Amino acid sequence: MKLRRSERMVVISNYLINNPYQLTNLNTFASQYEAAKSSISEDIAIIKKAFEERHIGEIETVTGASGGVIFTPSIAKEEALAIVEDLCDKLSESDRILPGGYLYLTDLLSTPAILQNVGRIIANAFKGEKIDAVMTVATKGVPLANAVANVLNVPFVIVRRDLKITEGSTVSVNYVSGSSDRIEKMFLSKRSLKPGSRVLIVDDFLKGGGTVTGMMGLLDEFDSELVGVAVFAENAKTEKMDVSYKSLLKVSELDVKNSQVSVETGNIFD
Amino acid sequence: MKLRRSERMVVISNYLINNPYQLTNLNTFASQYEAAKSSISEDIAIIKKAFEERHIGEIETVTGASGGVIFTPSIAKEEALAIVEDLCDKLSESDRILPGGYLYLTDLLSTPAILQNVGRIIANAFKGEKIDAVMTVATKGVPLANAVANVLNVPFVIVRRDLKITEGSTVSVNYVSGSSDRIEKMFLSKRSLKPGSRVLIVDDFLKGGGTVTGMMGLLDEFDSELVGVAVFAENAKTEKMDVSYKSLLKVSELDVKNSQVSVETGNIFD
């Protein structure tokens, strides 16, 4: 279908936004929109400028016959900070405190607009790293891992705390459950992660680090490599973990008795 | 920041794609990009034409002082059919058959590009309906509900089969588990769904319908209303459910002994 330049730019932008981290040959666009490759190159140059000026992302051109363009989403530091500060305010609402010293996060981690922004911020913090998959543990980590995987355009892998027949053969490891100090088991379907994968671990809340250490044990079992760990929120009062991690939010105080919670930005901007 | 028209169209397109089903006043764009409102109107007209020609979605203009534009994503029937036919092929791979007559779906439901397309197809099937939330049951339904909620720009609600302390107070209902014919319980956090919500139920696999019926019971408990039910795949051999549903895929035959599985397109295109 032949399109005018302005329309072409709209549909090429749409394509790139929906296909991040993917190499697309300019001939694909040229034949699809019945335009000369040189015209497409000019379109891309304008889109690139607009994307970069508005911090939507970068467009890289790979030259050669098998070359093309790759869109890498990004986010401006000021925008990311504003998003995290807004989350700090939301997390500081006293009615989030649950008996036992837990914080209710589910509403935030089930709102697409928030998840999308959090996904952009976490993915941006690992830009430049080769990542094959995003790993998390069911259930609360799933939407977060999904959001990061969307931006990186890679699959996500869900570790389970129970055995499901619909997962086929699994590999299991033991881990120390932070909330109960008991030894428990976590399971990963054998088919869900290729050996030799480079994996980003994502979780909703970091307390003792037992769950993350368990997932790292699974990575060993799958001959896979840890790229990094990112969490939505961390509890500042917990013992320091051996492994480094990036957090969006840090819960510095949680006083159940007086219904007081203090939240600050995490270390992701350090 | 002042932008050229071509650049402005790229960033406005990006904004609309990332903020579906949301009314945005043209003055917002005008002040952000330092352009006259009439210029923004012209930009929108071009974007609208491109979006409609390429079946990316519709742009509706709401007139008046509190008016603006709303982007509703859509998908062309041919594109949707091609996606579902590709999924039929993938689901027909004999190595997906698990002991007990289950099909391994996890790889498909953890690939962002597939989820995004499935989300577009399901959301498109309920276009025109007012939907406040998407409901599913943990764990397998979560990425699917997330994908549909992304397109509809509404929160998703996760029903659980176990009780978690991090969810606060919950409401529970009994349901008949299709796989075991036993009565089990499902739980929903009291905070996660506002009374009077209009809800779309989404699940990965429809067998006996017990899980869906359970979720409908929860909707009653939350004084909420069912908009519809959509599933990724249904088992054709199951008893017909009382409630109508839309399915993307229909597993018409699953022969464990001979490792044979036949999959056809579901009723979503009927």
Side-chain angles (χ1 to χ4, degrees), chain B residues 20-153:
Chain B
Y21 285 92
Q22 190 182 293
L23 183 72
T24 306
N25 196 291
L26 296 192
N27 289 325
T28 311
F29 296 126
S31 68
Q32 209 162 359
Y33 309 133
E34 296 173 29
K37 202 173 158 188
S38 60
S39 304
I40 299 289
S41 283
E42 288 165 32
D43 298 347
I44 297 282
I46 298 169
I47 296 171
K48 180 182 165 78
K49 187 155 174 273
F51 275 15
E52 284 172 4
E53 275 174 3
R54 306 299 299 179
H55 298 282
I56 295 167
E58 286 112 51
I59 294 177
E60 192 196 336
T61 303
V62 181
T63 51
S66 62
V69 287
I70 302 174
F71 167 58
T72 306
S74 71
I75 187 164
K77 196 171 176 188
E78 313 85 69
E79 190 188 350
L81 259 174
I83 290 165
V84 171
E85 275 159 15
D86 179 53
L87 287 171
C88 280
D89 292 345
K90 288 202 168 80
L91 223 61
S92 306
E93 293 155 0
S94 61
D95 62 356
R96 292 195 174 274
I97 303 174
L98 297 174
Y102 292 93
L103 270 187
Y104 185 76
L105 300 176
T106 307
D107 57 331
L108 305 176
L109 297 179
S110 59
T111 301
I114 292 176
L115 285 168
Q116 192 183 311
N117 281 332
V118 169
R120 286 167 69 207
I121 295 170
I122 293 177
N124 194 58
F126 292 92
K127 211 159 57 177
E129 300 270 11
K130 189 185 170 304
I131 297 173
D132 301 308
V134 178
M135 178 184 267
T136 195
V137 71
T139 307
K140 296 259 287 291
V142 178
L144 209 59
N146 196 341
V148 178
N150 283 348
V151 181
L152 296 173
N153 205 1

Side-chain angles (χ1 to χ4, degrees), chain A residues 47-237:
Chain A
I47 296 171
K48 179 183 166 76
K49 189 155 172 274
F51 275 15
E52 284 172 4
E53 275 175 3
R54 308 297 302 179
H55 298 282
I56 294 167
E58 285 114 50
I59 295 178
E60 193 196 335
T61 303
V62 180
T63 51
S66 61
V69 287
I70 302 174
F71 167 57
T72 308
S74 71
I75 187 165
K77 196 174 175 184
E78 312 84 70
E79 190 188 352
L81 259 173
I83 290 164
V84 171
E85 276 159 15
D86 178 53
L87 287 171
C88 279
D89 293 345
K90 288 200 168 79
L91 223 60
S92 306
E93 294 156 359
S94 61
D95 62 356
R96 293 194 173 272
I97 303 175
L98 298 173
Y102 292 92
L103 270 186
Y104 185 76
L105 300 176
T106 307
D107 58 330
L108 306 176
L109 298 179
S110 58
T111 303
I114 293 176
L115 284 169
Q116 193 182 312
N117 281 331
V118 169
R120 285 168 71 208
I121 295 170
I122 293 177
N124 194 57
F126 292 92
K127 208 158 60 179
E129 300 270 10
K130 189 186 171 302
I131 296 172
D132 301 308
V134 178
M135 178 184 269
T136 195
V137 72
T139 304
K140 295 259 287 290
V142 178
L144 208 58
N146 196 341
V148 178
N150 283 348
V151 181
L152 296 174
N153 206 359
V154 297
F156 53 92
V157 167
I158 305 173
V159 175
R160 304 188 61 114
R161 297 178 210 262
D162 55 354
L163 267 175
K164 286 286 273 188
I165 33 178
T166 49
E167 294 294 302
S169 316
T170 55
V171 172
S172 81
V173 296
N174 298 335
Y175 74 103
V176 184
S177 166
S179 39
S180 61
D181 245 340
R182 275 194 312 232
I183 303 290
E184 304 197 9
K185 275 194 174 295
M186 53 170 71
F187 308 85
L188 183 57
S189 166
K190 274 190 120 169
R191 319 188 179 205
S192 64
L193 186 63
K194 281 197 203 95
S197 295
R198 288 181 49 85
V199 178
L200 174 63
I201 289 178
V202 166
D203 209 357
D204 62 325
F205 202 88
L206 184 67
K207 222 174 173 180
T211 316
V212 168
T213 315
M215 284 191 269
M216 287 166 65
L218 275 172
L219 289 186
D220 281 343
E221 295 295 330
F222 281 79
D223 295 320
S224 288
E225 211 178 315
L226 179 72
V227 174
V229 177
V231 296
F232 181 68
E234 63 165 312
N235 188 325
K237 292 238 172 82

